[in-house]
Amino acid sequence: MPGDRLTHEDRRRIAIWLAEGLGYAEIARRLGRPTSTISREVARNSAPGGYLADRAQQATGQRARRRRPVQAACPPAGERSAESVRGFMERLAVLLVGVGLPRMAARVFACLLTSGSGDLTSAELVRRLQVSPASVSKAVGYLEAIELVGRTRDSGRRERYVVDDDVWLRAFRADTGAHAEVATEARRGIGIFGADTPTGARLGRMAQFFTWISEQMDGSDLIDAVVRDALTVVSALVYVARPLTVDELATALGWPVRRAAGVLDAIGRRPILADPFVVERAGSGAFAVAPRPDRLSPAQRDALLEGVAAPRKTPR
């Protein structure tokens, strides 16, 4: 990948992993690089004593100085040196890769974050990162899709990519929604595979975990009125022990239809509101309630059923 050069930290990791006996393919996977990059690096910078990170870094620097000078990834400002800026950029990009960003997207995002104004043109990113315009375009497209980067235009009508002040709130909300969707899909999988199967049990643990994550991240927006209404709806469905439509619920509870529909929608988006039950569509626009399949393990359910079926012995 053009401009995607190994850093001193990359070389230090390569040396450690080589000493541990890892192959080139595994090292490349861990660094997010092609295997050929690792094999060339080791072949070019190895000596009788083996591959050493400091020596490899020094040799690479000497070769680079014999060629044309390379501009720093992001220029220094004030008392910051080019080396300190470049080092920080690379370390930040590595950490962003560790939390899920593709490597080029991480480098573009790190450069935008550390630019003075928080926005750069495509040409500026190409120049600072020493990569192709296509690489920048693809990385920006990815960052836009997950709402970490936006677009604006300057006075010269040039398009600029920007990291604004709301970026972390948007990312937080996106993650919260994604966690809730994973939990919902896992619960759907329990119905497909069966709660008593090993797959269903694993999906149950998965649903519990992602529900908990979603609750921790997004629990602050629940108001008491919504919680009370949700519990009322669940109680009504448990009490009547049969599916009810929105109109039937609204009539029985003495609510406007909009209020009943809003509560059911809230439960659908936040299943924790109905815990330890789950509110499900039962067909023909009706809703029913059932115990959450992930609250009890198959062994616990079997033990409970056996305990109910077996006659109790009263002490004499």
Side-chain angles (χ1 to χ4, degrees):
M1 188 176 295
D4 206 7
R5 298 177 179 84
L6 291 170
T7 66
H8 196 174
E9 178 64 16
D10 290 335
R11 293 187 168 94
R12 187 186 67 80
R13 293 181 179 184
I14 290 172
I16 292 173
W17 290 331
L18 284 172
E20 293 176 352
L22 296 184
Y24 294 162
E26 175 60 18
I27 293 173
R29 187 191 67 78
R30 293 187 180 191
L31 289 177
R33 306 297 187 103
T35 303
S36 59
T37 297
I38 307 303
S39 61
R40 283 197 305 268
E41 167 67 19
V42 176
R44 183 182 299 164
N45 295 308
S46 290
Y51 179 87
L52 298 176
D54 291 343
R55 184 172 58 199
Q57 182 73 14
Q58 184 179 15
T60 302
Q62 290 172 349
R63 285 193 296 269
R65 284 192 291 273
R66 289 196 294 268
R67 298 191 296 268
R68 64 180 180 84
V70 178
Q71 184 177 345
C74 275
E79 297 299 319
R80 296 189 297 272
S81 68
E83 183 64 29
S84 66
V85 170
R86 184 165 52 247
F88 173 78
M89 284 272 300
E90 294 292 349
R91 288 191 299 273
L92 180 59
V94 168
L95 292 173
L96 291 172
V97 169
V99 297
L101 285 185
R103 183 169 177 79
M104 184 51 64
R107 295 187 70 209
V108 168
F109 189 58
C111 198
L112 285 168
L113 277 175
T114 53
S115 65
S117 60
D119 62 87
L120 294 168
T121 65
S122 177
E124 289 169 336
L125 283 166
V126 167
R127 185 172 65 253
R128 295 183 181 200
L129 293 172
Q130 294 290 296
V131 296
S132 68
S135 296
V136 167
S137 177
K138 183 177 180 180
V140 168
Y142 178 89
L143 292 169
E144 281 187 303
I146 59 176
E147 300 188 47
L148 288 182
V149 167
R151 295 178 188 241
T152 187
R153 291 188 181 274
D154 59 21
S155 56
R157 305 299 297 165
R158 293 176 302 180
E159 192 169 63
R160 305 186 72 84
Y161 306 125
V162 58
V163 177
D164 61 35
D165 294 339
D166 293 332
V167 61
W168 304 118
L169 180 59
R170 289 200 306 274
F172 178 87
R173 288 173 174 168
D175 277 349
T176 301
H179 289 138
E181 289 176 6
V182 170
T184 299
E185 191 62 28
R187 282 191 289 272
R188 188 175 292 117
I190 295 171
I192 294 172
F193 291 97
D196 296 333
T197 65
T199 299
R202 284 193 297 272
L203 289 172
R205 291 190 291 271
M206 180 180 179
Q208 265 188 306
F209 175 77
F210 278 96
T211 297
W212 179 81
I213 290 289
S214 179
E215 293 163 8
Q216 296 302 308
M217 294 179 69
D218 198 35
S220 60
D221 63 349
L222 292 177
I223 57 175
D224 290 343
V226 175
V227 175
R228 286 196 302 270
D229 281 359
L231 292 176
T232 299
V233 166
V234 170
S235 297
L237 291 171
V238 170
Y239 181 80
V240 76
R242 66 176 178 84
L244 294 175
T245 65
V246 176
D247 289 341
E248 288 173 332
L249 267 173
T251 300
L253 298 175
W255 290 354
V257 172
R258 181 180 297 179
R259 179 177 175 183
V263 173
L264 287 167
D265 179 66
I267 293 173
R269 288 184 289 106
R270 298 293 307 279
I272 188 62
L273 290 171
D275 193 30
F277 298 98
V278 58
V279 176
E280 303 171 320
R281 289 187 178 273
S284 303
F287 293 84
V289 69
R292 271 180 59 163
D294 56 332
R295 279 292 177 233
L296 295 172
S297 69
Q300 289 171 329
R301 287 192 292 272
D302 289 344
L304 286 168
L305 290 175
E306 290 172 4
V308 170
R312 292 180 177 272
K313 294 182 179 180
T314 55
R316 295 181 178 178

